[in-house]
Amino acid sequence: MSNRPMVAMTTRIDIGVCTFRRPELEETLRSLAMIGVPDGASVRIIVADNDTVPSARERVEALRPIVPFGIVYVHCPASNISIARNACLDHADGDFLAFVDDDETVTEFWLVRLLETARETGAEVVLGPVTADYAETAPGWMRTGDFHSTLPVWIGDEIRTGYTCNTLLRLASPALEGRRFNLALGKTGGEDTEFFTHLHQAGGRIVFSADALVHEPVPQKRASLSWLAKRRYRMGQTHGRLVGETRGAIARFAQIALAAAKAGFCALAGAVFLFSPVRRYRYWLRGALHAGAIGGLLGLREIRQYGTLEATSP
């Protein structure tokens, strides 16, 4: 028997933050500097700068003295979020990789709760909730109905896809091996939905950690019905395209007919609740989702919602 002292194994966690010309990155990193570290774990941060020039480098370097973790800065141009997400995957060398957005702030025990759930369940992916923080200038119906917060979608007792705004990936999972985000979707959005859908289809299990909370402010440019409708439509496009990948022509036609019926019902239901804004807009936005699904099933090109214009507009 060896006389050498026992050395506790350390769980290594990388935290990926993809950024594109957002000054809010500073608040994201400041919140990460304050997180509790899970027992038996070490933490490192990867900042993937997706700008054409390394515009976030100076901000990252200025914050190094106050962040108690190592920071890897990666310049990965340009203007395609899938490139930045893949850079985080390529530079991660830990047991887990967490993702948060560059306009979010994490709560103190965010990472602790994610890892607890991963250890308890053995799941390949753990999702946490994203709570939208509205300005007083946001429409009342929007604040009351909370149309921007993010939660998983359950089908029965199963989560079949996910998102990257609050997630933890088990990097050793066979379902994750060699998997990368689709560059063709890096300007439209939907790259995370496709990534997690395919991961689930490959046998990866996705679970939810309700207490692993992050906050996301809703800027004025997103606090509008038109932005929400465009986003729901694009989400529907992604869903429709993914459904169409596994269906023949007849099955796709049946799905189109079903989505059209659902869109029609939502339009009528919204009219019924004409004087109840929260219910009205909830139905109409659901209708936009089903309309997008029709577009996706028909193979229409997915609309571009993200990129230079949104990132730089006031």
Side-chain angles (χ1 to χ4, degrees):
M1 179 181 295
S2 172
N3 291 323
R4 289 181 298 178
M6 295 292 291
V7 178
M9 295 295 290
T10 299
T11 300
R12 293 172 300 135
I13 306 172
D14 288 317
I15 301 172
V17 185
C18 302
T19 191
F20 183 84
R21 301 182 188 175
R22 271 206 177 123
E24 294 89 345
L25 172 65
E26 179 173 343
E27 292 306 311
T28 301
L29 293 177
R30 286 183 180 275
S31 72
L32 288 172
M34 303 299 291
I35 60 171
V37 178
D39 291 339
S42 63
V43 173
R44 187 180 66 154
I45 298 171
I46 302 170
V47 177
D49 186 353
N50 200 214
D51 198 359
T52 52
V53 296
S55 58
R57 186 191 298 274
E58 185 175 343
R59 180 171 286 110
V60 171
E61 294 301 325
L63 289 170
R64 282 188 190 275
I66 71 164
V67 178
F69 315 118
I71 302 178
V72 177
Y73 172 84
V74 184
H75 182 221
C76 47
S79 307
N80 183 312
I81 189 62
S82 292
I83 293 175
R85 299 205 197 288
N86 291 339
C88 290
L89 285 166
D90 292 340
H91 286 80
D93 63 5
D95 302 291
F96 292 91
L97 171 63
F99 275 112
V100 294
D101 285 351
D102 62 344
D103 58 347
E104 295 175 340
T105 54
V106 303
T107 52
E108 181 180 359
F109 295 104
W110 161 72
L111 191 60
V112 173
R113 300 296 175 246
L114 285 177
L115 187 60
E116 281 179 350
T117 302
R119 286 170 169 170
E120 290 168 1
T121 64
E124 282 74 15
V125 179
V126 182
L127 303 175
V130 180
T131 296
D133 294 335
Y134 291 97
E136 289 298 320
T137 55
W141 61 265
M142 187 178 293
R143 287 183 277 120
T144 301
D146 190 13
F147 286 81
H148 288 76
S149 291
T150 303
L151 290 169
V153 175
W154 280 266
I155 300 176
D157 60 352
E158 187 178 42
I159 302 172
R160 298 183 183 178
T161 191
Y163 43 77
T164 46
C165 47
N166 183 2
T167 189
L168 182 72
L169 306 176
R170 187 183 298 273
L171 293 178
S173 165
L176 194 61
E177 184 177 358
R179 192 170 302 283
R180 292 297 183 267
F181 292 88
N182 187 345
L183 298 184
L185 301 178
K187 293 181 181 292
T188 63
E191 80 294 336
D192 50 354
T193 300
E194 181 189 79
F195 179 91
F196 288 106
T197 297
H198 289 166
L199 184 149
H200 177 266
Q201 291 171 349
R205 189 155 62 99
I206 305 173
V207 300
F208 181 58
S209 181
D211 296 325
L213 180 65
V214 306
H215 292 270
E216 181 178 31
V218 179
Q220 184 176 356
K221 62 193 173 189
R222 295 187 180 186
S224 68
L225 180 62
S226 61
W227 188 91
L228 286 168
K230 191 174 181 180
R231 179 175 174 81
R232 294 296 196 280
Y233 183 85
R234 197 275 304 153
M235 290 169 66
Q237 282 186 299
T238 302
H239 174 72
R241 180 176 57 78
L242 291 171
V243 169
E245 287 179 352
T246 59
R247 303 289 201 282
I250 295 176
R252 282 200 303 273
F253 179 80
Q255 289 293 319
I256 289 170
L258 179 61
K262 289 180 176 179
F265 171 82
C266 289
L268 290 173
V272 169
F273 290 105
L274 191 61
F275 299 104
S276 177
V278 172
R279 290 184 178 182
R280 178 176 76 240
Y281 292 137
R282 205 175 293 285
Y283 274 115
W284 284 351
L285 290 171
R286 187 72 181 173
L289 184 80
H290 294 308
I294 295 171
L297 286 160
L298 290 172
L300 300 182
R301 183 177 180 181
E302 289 175 52
I303 61 174
R304 176 175 175 173
Q305 188 168 16
Y306 301 107
T308 304
L309 179 62
E310 191 205 40
T312 58
S313 61

